[in-house]
Each structure stands twice: as C-alpha cells, then as structure tokens.
Amino acid sequence: MTGFKLDARARLSIELALTAASGDSVFIRQQEKDAKALGMTGAEIDMARSGSSFDFQLSRAIALALTINDERRARATRAGLGAQVCADIETMATSYMDRSLLKSA
C-alpha cells in the first residue's frame, strides 16, 4: 500500500468532518466552494461530513482526526499513514477542537 499524503484535498476532507456540526452557513458554503475547486464531488463532501470517505486511507485519517487514540492511530498506520502524517492529523484535529471550545465558552 502506498504512503498517504496529507494534501489539500485530504486536509479539507478532515476539516469537513471536524466542523460538520458547526452550523455556520457561511463557513459551510465556503468549504463547499473550496471542495469543488479541489475537484471533490457532492458525494465526497457528504461522506467527509459524515466522518468517512470512499478512499480507505482517507477514511482512516478522518477516523483518527475524529477520535484520537492508540487504536485509531494503529489502524491508520496499518492503512499506510506514516507516523508524521498521523501526528499532523492529530495536531490539526486538536486545533479544530480548541477552536470549537473557544466558541462555546
């Protein structure tokens, strides 16, 4: 299995999953515009917002971002995501969680 790259499309897919419940219609429209610019289909956007992907490796990346723990990290690694990619996903996820906590305070 080839290595997974945390490119703009993967990052946006993870962002879509992490912010799916934001309720910010302006932000949601901007994400959709960005996704379309990257060539994502409506179905891919919907899958990401539901916490998954049609791509196996990306699905593991999203799962790790949504629930950071040893089991999810091990599954991501077995799926071909390197240790640095997993660390980058966890940093990204933590950043979004921190932002959502700031908004709810």
Side-chain angles (χ1 to χ4, degrees):
M1 195 173 292
T2 62
F4 177 80
K5 291 189 177 24
L6 193 56
D7 59 12
R9 192 176 171 122
R11 286 182 182 277
L12 183 56
S13 295
I14 292 167
E15 177 185 297
L16 287 164
L18 291 169
T19 62
S22 75
D24 183 340
S25 61
V26 174
F27 184 61
I28 289 169
R29 282 194 302 276
Q30 183 59 51
Q31 284 179 320
E32 289 175 1
K33 183 179 173 185
D34 294 344
K36 296 287 184 182
L38 291 171
M40 292 177 69
T41 66
E44 288 172 313
I45 295 167
D46 291 344
M47 283 288 288
R49 283 202 175 116
S50 72
S52 191
S53 173
F54 293 111
D55 178 88
F56 177 71
Q57 290 178 313
L58 182 52
S59 188
R60 291 293 190 208
I62 291 170
L64 175 60
L66 292 173
T67 306
I68 299 170
N69 62 35
D70 291 338
E71 180 183 344
R72 294 280 174 103
R73 191 176 307 106
R75 287 180 181 184
T77 301
R78 284 194 304 271
L81 282 70
Q84 184 59 54
V85 170
C86 288
D88 292 345
I89 291 167
E90 291 175 25
T91 299
M92 183 179 175
T94 302
S95 167
Y96 278 93
M97 285 182 231
D98 290 347
R99 279 187 231 161
S100 72
L101 291 174
L102 288 175
K103 288 180 183 177
S104 64

